[in-house]
């Protein structure tokens, strides 16, 4: 809601009823000369033009709106927005997201596993102010997509750009974890954690996942693992980003969660078995609440002027009123 820095300007609105009163008293009225046209003992001439009457009414209304907008702009409307300016670091959380083709299996509320993970992350991130988020994409290879940042726009943009299969068709859990550890180890955040979201076992890469989990523990980084997907035969549709070829069919979803549980235990965190979108959101919320840290901040008030908006609206209203009266009704204001 706008706040007005010069509210006294609204006194100018009183000019409208004053003008109406003066016109009622025949002051400031347009001079008219009556000319009666009628047949002998017949009815007087009547102007029957509803469109013209409507145009007259519309032009008066536009003129009034323009005047009110002008008065409002003179009152200097502003919008006040408060934002938190953090003076200390929050938690750094890096998501290691599996982008192998099997993540395109559609068994999470009708969505692919990758889209479900994206959606849950998108819902979580805005709720945790001051927390830095990073992203590592992982398949048969791993790559840092976003270093830990509080820039939500950049994070979401890169998250949405992930493509399944762009890093191969394997699952190199060790490589994904070690990439995240490398970029978190030197961070100054009071708390650091890795959230691994995957739907399979390690079958690629030179680094053993448990070795990467121990490395995270040594650097004070907590590891959480989310095993995503249901068991059994699930539909899958996958577009190879290299060739554009579409693969569709069914995936026999059977993986052993025990290695993932051991990784989470070694990393000092917890394993979550996730088979629904609700369970996925709940798991991520649990991680965020556990990794919260106290941050100091102050409130900064940002002032946004709305003067030009009302001035422009008033100008447009005046121009429209003038056009109607000058070119349609044939009179000047």
């Amino acid at each position: 809601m706008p706040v007005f820095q010069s509210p006294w300007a609204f006194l100018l609105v009183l000019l409208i009823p004053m003008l109406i009163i003066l016109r009622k008293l025949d002051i400031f009225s347009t001079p008219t000369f009556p000319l009666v046209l009628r047949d002998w003992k017949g009815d007087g001439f009547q102007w029957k033009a509803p469109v013209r009457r409507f145009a007259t009414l519309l032009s008066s209304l536009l003129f009034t709106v323009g005047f009110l907008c002008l008065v409002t702009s003179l009152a200097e409307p502003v919008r006040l927005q408060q934002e938190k300016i953090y003076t200390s670091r929050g938690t750094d959380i890096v998501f290691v997201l599996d982008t192998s083709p099997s993540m395109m299996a559609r068994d999470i509320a009708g969505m692919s596993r990758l889209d479900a993970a994206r959606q849950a992350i998108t819902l979580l991130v805005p709720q945790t102010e001051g927390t830095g988020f990073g992203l590592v994409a992982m398949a048969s290879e791993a790559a840092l997509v976003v270093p830990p940042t509080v820039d939500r726009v950049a994070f979401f943009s890169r998250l949405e750009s992930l493509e399944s299969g762009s890093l191969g068709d394997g699952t190199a859990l060790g490589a994904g974890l070690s990439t995240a550890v490398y970029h978190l180890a030197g961070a100054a955040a009071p708390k650091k954690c890795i959230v691994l979201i995957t739907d399979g076992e390690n079958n690629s890469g030179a680094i053993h996942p448990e070795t990467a989990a121990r490395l995270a523990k040594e650097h004070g980084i907590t590891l959480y693992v989310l095993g995503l997907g249901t068991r059994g035969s699930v539909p899958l549709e996958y577009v190879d980003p290299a060739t554009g070829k579409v693969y569709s069919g069914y995936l026999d979803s059977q993986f052993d969660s025990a290695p993932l549980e051991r990784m989470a235990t070694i990393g000092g965190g917890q394993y979550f078995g996730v088979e629904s979108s609700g369970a996925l959101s709940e798991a991520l919320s649990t991680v965020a609440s556990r990794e919260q840290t106290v941050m100091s901040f102050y409130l900064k008030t940002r002032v946004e002027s709305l003067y030009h908006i009302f001035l422009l609206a008033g100008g447009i209203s005046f121009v429209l009123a003038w056009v109607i009266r000058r070119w349609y009704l044939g009179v000047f204001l």
Side-chain angles (χ1 to χ4, degrees):
M1 184 175 181
V3 176
F4 301 96
Q5 295 182 321
S6 302
W8 55 265
F10 284 110
L11 292 175
L12 295 174
V13 176
L14 296 176
L15 293 175
I16 296 177
M18 289 176 59
L19 180 61
I20 294 175
I21 293 173
L22 291 173
R23 287 198 170 183
K24 289 292 184 181
L25 296 175
D26 290 333
I27 303 174
F28 293 139
S29 294
T30 304
T32 58
F33 300 94
L35 176 63
V36 179
L37 299 175
R38 61 188 301 171
D39 296 330
W40 180 257
K41 295 183 180 181
D43 295 331
F45 174 78
Q46 294 182 356
W47 186 272
K48 297 181 180 180
V51 175
R52 188 178 179 87
R53 285 196 296 271
F54 173 77
T56 302
L57 178 62
L58 179 60
S59 66
S60 299
L61 179 61
L62 287 170
F63 183 83
T64 303
V65 170
F67 177 76
L68 292 175
C69 287
L70 179 60
V71 170
T72 303
S73 66
L74 291 175
E76 298 182 77
V78 296
R79 182 187 292 123
L80 303 180
Q81 294 182 335
Q82 286 191 330
E83 57 180 333
K84 291 181 179 179
I85 305 298
Y86 290 92
T87 56
S88 63
R89 289 287 299 269
T91 303
D92 276 353
I93 300 176
V94 172
F95 295 101
V96 178
L97 186 55
D98 189 348
T99 61
S100 60
S102 61
M103 287 289 286
M104 297 306 293
R106 295 181 173 275
D107 58 350
I108 306 293
M111 295 182 289
S112 70
R113 297 169 181 177
L114 181 59
D115 286 339
R118 260 197 286 248
Q119 183 184 80
I121 293 171
T122 302
L123 292 175
L124 168 72
V125 170
Q127 301 173 11
T128 48
E129 291 184 285
T131 300
F133 289 95
L135 181 63
V136 171
M138 176 268 301
S140 57
E141 299 177 2
L144 178 71
V145 179
V146 184
T149 178
V150 294
D151 186 344
R152 302 304 197 242
V153 175
F155 178 83
F156 288 137
S157 175
R158 298 305 303 274
L159 176 65
E160 285 300 318
S161 68
L162 290 182
E163 289 186 333
S164 179
S166 59
L167 292 174
D169 58 0
T171 305
L173 299 181
L177 291 178
S178 59
T179 300
V181 171
Y182 177 80
H183 288 90
L184 274 176
K191 281 188 175 182
K192 296 171 281 189
C193 78
I194 296 171
V195 180
L196 170 63
I197 304 177
T198 182
D199 67 346
E201 301 176 17
N202 183 70
N203 58 20
S204 185
I207 303 175
H208 196 282
E210 293 184 9
T211 301
R214 291 189 185 92
L215 187 63
K217 183 70 173 179
E218 291 172 4
H219 286 88
I221 303 170
T222 307
L223 172 61
Y224 296 92
V225 182
L226 278 62
L228 187 61
T230 59
R231 298 179 183 275
S233 181
V234 296
L236 179 145
E237 185 171 309
Y238 162 66
V239 179
D240 190 330
T243 64
K245 186 177 180 180
V246 178
Y247 297 89
S248 62
Y250 287 86
L251 172 70
D252 184 16
S253 179
Q254 299 290 339
F255 73 92
D256 184 7
S257 64
L260 301 179
E261 294 176 22
R262 283 197 300 272
M263 288 165 51
T265 300
I266 293 171
Q270 183 179 347
Y271 171 78
F272 299 87
V274 176
E275 296 187 357
S276 67
S277 59
L280 178 56
S281 296
E282 184 178 349
L284 290 178
S285 296
T286 300
V287 171
S289 63
R290 288 184 181 180
E291 297 301 316
Q292 279 185 343
T293 184
V294 177
M295 292 175 287
S296 57
F297 64 90
Y298 66 91
L299 294 176
K300 180 181 179 181
T301 301
R302 186 164 60 89
V303 180
E304 180 186 359
S305 176
L306 303 177
Y307 168 85
H308 61 285
I309 297 177
F310 286 95
L311 187 62
L312 178 62
I316 293 174
S317 297
F318 280 132
V319 169
L320 291 176
W322 181 85
V323 168
I324 291 174
R325 291 197 178 187
R326 176 66 181 86
W327 298 107
Y328 184 76
L329 298 176
V331 295
F332 290 94
L333 290 173

